């Protein structure tokens, strides 16, 4: 998925001209130039969702006053359904204000709006638009979601999962499913071995969301899915759906994924170089792993960087290093380059940073480096 920062830059006067031109082809009275001018005046300084709302409000002000009439002008602008692998934020990003239109203005017309969300998601996504309908019109919305889970369209099946994720990024939290995710898991049942990678990613992310609040239920579901659907597709979903628990070192999650022997493995050598770095440079992590057991094991090896915060405290961040099978008595050398570069979700502060090597969830070695400004 595109970053929020990268995506927001596209919602400007040019986007208004693109959207407005498509609407005017259906509704000749649409004031494209006024729409462009208003957008250019209002979007500077705003973040993604507020920029999208500016474009959505501009549509509302220039379309027929009644919601069904306005929606009838927007639906023909959607274009062709996306094929597998076509990114919604690359190919049809400009439909985000159209989906927001249904989210903001259609709650008094749930059936009409649910139809519109299904059509929008074939070309873009309805994962944000559906959420207020789940909250306000729970029974009809969830009935429709259950139907979507069995759709021949991979885009619609994906919406069935993505739209009801309890903790969907960029979206309002669905507290009803944070408290009790069992209705979500019922929807996911027909999707647990889906042939579409697009759908599988969503199902895995949904299971990962659930694992944050209901660890035991997520683990039990993963075990059952693997038992009842022993396919590569289900295995992939479970592996990615348990990733947060794996990063936390949860031994049951690791065992479900086949990781064994963490207590029989040692890391006798670990070096982090250079020992003093500045932002923009790269750390190199070198280590040896030794299997001290008389049988082979499957290992998940992560490294944890404890980032110093502005207040002097440290927050750990787990990074994937590798997964490997190691023979009895084998010694394996591993190397990982770790760039120290600021991203939108992480700022760096000077001080001593701790690096842990974690094997099957168990910390096996620790080193340190100093970050300078």
């Amino acid at each position: 998925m595109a970053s929020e920062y990268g995506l927001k830059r596209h919602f400007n006067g040019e986007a208004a001209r693109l959207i407005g031109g498509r609407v005017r082809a259906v509704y000749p009275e649409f004031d494209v130039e006024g729409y462009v001018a208003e957008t250019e005046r209002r979007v500077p300084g705003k973040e993604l969702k507020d920029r999208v709302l500016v474009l959505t409000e501009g549509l509302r002000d220039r379309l027929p006053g009644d919601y069904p009439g306005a929606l009838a002008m927007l639906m023909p602008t959607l274009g062709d359904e996306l094929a597998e692998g076509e990114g919604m934020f690359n190919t049809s990003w400009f439909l985000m204000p159209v989906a927001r239109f249904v989210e903001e203005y259609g709650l008094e017309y749930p059936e009409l709006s649910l139809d519109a969300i299904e059509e929008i998601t074939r070309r873009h996504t309805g994962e944000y638009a559906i959420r207020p309908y789940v909250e306000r019109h729970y029974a009809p919305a969830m009935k429709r979601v259950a139907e979507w889970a069995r759709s021949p369209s991979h885009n619609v099946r994906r919406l069935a999962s993505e739209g009801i994720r309890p903790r969907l990024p960029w979206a309002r939290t669905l507290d009803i499913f944070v408290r009790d995710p069992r209705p979500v898991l019922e929807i996911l049942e027909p999707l647990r071995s889906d042939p579409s990678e697009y759908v599988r990613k969503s199902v895995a992310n949904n299971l990962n969301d659930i694992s944050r609040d209901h660890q035991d239920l997520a683990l039990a579901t993963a075990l059952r899915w693997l038992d009842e659907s022993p396919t590569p597709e289900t295995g992939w979903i479970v592996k990615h759906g348990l990733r947060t628990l794996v990063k936390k070192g949860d031994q049951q999650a690791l065992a479900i994924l086949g990781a064994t022997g963490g207590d029989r493995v040692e890391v006798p050598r670990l070096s982090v170089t250079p020992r003093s770095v500045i932002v923009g440079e790269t750390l190199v992590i070198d280590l040896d792993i030794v299997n001290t057991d008389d049988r082979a094991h499957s290992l998940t090896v992560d490294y944890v960087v404890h980032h110093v915060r502005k207040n002097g405290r440290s927050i750990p961040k787990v990074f994937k290093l590798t997964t490997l099978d190691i023979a009895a008595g084998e010694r394996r050398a591993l190397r990982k380059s770790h760039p120290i570069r600021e991203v939108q979700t992480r700022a760096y502060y000077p001080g001593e940073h701790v690096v842990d090597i974690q094997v099957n969830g168990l910390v096996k070695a620790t080193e340190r480096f100093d970050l300078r400004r």
Side-chain angles (χ1 to χ4, degrees):
M1 181 178 291
S3 71
E4 182 173 350
Y5 174 74
L7 189 57
K8 79 174 185 180
R9 294 182 293 108
H10 294 290
F11 290 98
N12 52 24
E14 291 297 319
R17 190 174 301 281
L18 172 61
I19 297 166
R22 295 171 76 98
V23 174
R24 189 166 59 185
V26 179
Y27 182 54
E29 302 163 46
F30 190 86
D31 176 15
V32 176
E33 294 306 319
Y35 187 39
V36 171
E38 178 186 344
T39 300
E40 290 179 339
R41 185 180 72 253
R42 293 184 59 197
V43 297
K46 288 182 167 60
E47 297 302 320
L48 172 63
K49 294 181 72 173
D50 289 337
R51 285 180 176 231
V52 172
L53 184 58
V54 166
L55 286 145
T56 300
E57 291 171 345
L59 289 173
R60 174 69 282 179
D61 292 343
R62 292 169 176 82
L63 286 169
D66 63 301
Y67 175 78
L71 196 61
M73 299 299 103
L74 290 175
M75 288 299 97
T77 71
L78 298 180
D80 298 330
E81 179 162 2
L82 296 180
E84 180 84 31
E86 286 188 283
M88 61 183 173
F89 290 121
N90 297 322
T91 304
S92 55
W93 56 270
F94 58 88
L95 293 178
M96 191 176 280
V98 178
R100 185 72 177 268
F101 189 94
V102 177
E103 179 181 350
E104 295 290 333
Y105 304 120
L107 280 168
E108 300 305 319
Y109 300 87
E111 292 300 329
L112 181 64
S113 295
L114 290 169
D115 288 342
I117 289 170
E118 179 174 343
E119 291 305 311
I120 290 167
T121 210
R122 292 175 184 270
R123 288 90 175 170
H124 178 59
T125 181
E127 66 201 63
Y128 309 112
I130 185 62
R131 298 171 86 79
Y133 292 86
V134 171
E135 293 174 329
R136 186 164 168 182
H137 303 287
Y138 182 84
M142 290 301 287
K143 179 176 182 292
R144 188 69 66 91
V145 169
E147 294 170 359
W148 290 341
R150 300 182 183 278
S151 170
S153 166
H154 67 284
N155 293 307
V156 176
R157 295 198 307 276
R158 188 258 188 185
L159 173 63
S161 169
E162 196 74 2
I164 59 172
R165 281 179 58 185
R167 297 186 179 276
L168 179 67
W170 302 2
R172 61 210 292 170
T173 299
L174 287 178
D175 291 325
I176 186 173
F177 296 143
V178 171
R179 293 191 297 269
D180 181 6
R182 287 174 297 179
V184 176
L185 291 171
E186 290 177 12
I187 297 296
L188 298 184
E189 283 298 312
L191 305 175
R192 66 190 185 187
S193 190
D194 199 274
S196 166
E197 181 182 8
Y198 191 42
V199 178
R200 292 197 301 272
K201 284 182 178 179
S202 177
V203 176
N205 287 335
N206 211 328
L207 183 62
N208 189 58
D209 279 4
I210 292 168
S211 77
R212 296 174 186 273
D213 301 295
H214 298 272
Q215 176 176 326
D216 291 344
L217 180 59
L219 290 168
T221 299
L223 273 172
R224 179 171 60 80
W225 283 1
L226 290 172
D227 180 58
E228 296 176 357
S229 303
T231 67
E233 291 80 8
T234 300
W236 189 95
I237 287 171
V238 167
K239 178 180 178 181
H240 290 271
L242 298 183
R243 63 185 183 273
T244 293
L245 295 180
V246 168
K247 286 182 177 181
K248 290 181 177 179
D250 184 88
Q251 294 301 297
Q252 187 175 352
L254 286 156
I256 288 172
L257 298 179
T260 62
D263 57 338
R264 300 301 182 94
V265 170
E266 301 298 336
V267 177
R269 182 183 69 89
L270 170 62
S271 70
V272 176
T273 55
R275 296 300 296 267
S276 180
V277 298
I278 61 173
V279 174
E281 295 182 337
T282 297
L283 284 177
V284 177
I285 302 170
D286 281 297
L287 64 141
D288 287 347
I289 287 185
V290 178
N291 181 5
T292 64
D293 203 3
D294 58 3
R295 63 190 182 93
H297 290 292
S298 295
L299 307 178
T300 294
V301 185
D302 300 319
Y303 64 102
V304 186
V305 180
H306 297 259
H307 293 107
V308 174
R309 310 312 300 149
K310 190 174 183 179
N311 61 9
R313 297 179 180 177
S314 296
I315 297 179
K317 169 68 175 176
V318 181
F319 298 91
K320 183 63 61 182
L321 201 155
T322 190
T323 58
L324 58 91
D325 295 323
I326 190 167
E330 183 181 359
R331 186 183 188 108
R332 187 83 63 89
L334 301 175
R335 168 173 284 197
K336 181 72 175 182
S337 295
H338 179 82
I340 304 294
R341 60 170 178 262
E342 289 189 346
V343 295
Q344 199 169 15
T345 56
R346 184 187 314 122
Y348 285 99
Y349 297 93
E352 185 180 70
H353 288 57
V354 172
V355 178
D356 294 328
I357 300 299
Q358 186 172 282
V359 181
N360 288 3
L362 304 175
V363 174
K364 293 294 181 175
T366 298
E367 260 295 357
R368 292 167 171 79
F369 68 93
D370 288 318
L371 180 65
R372 297 179 289 108
R373 280 288 184 184

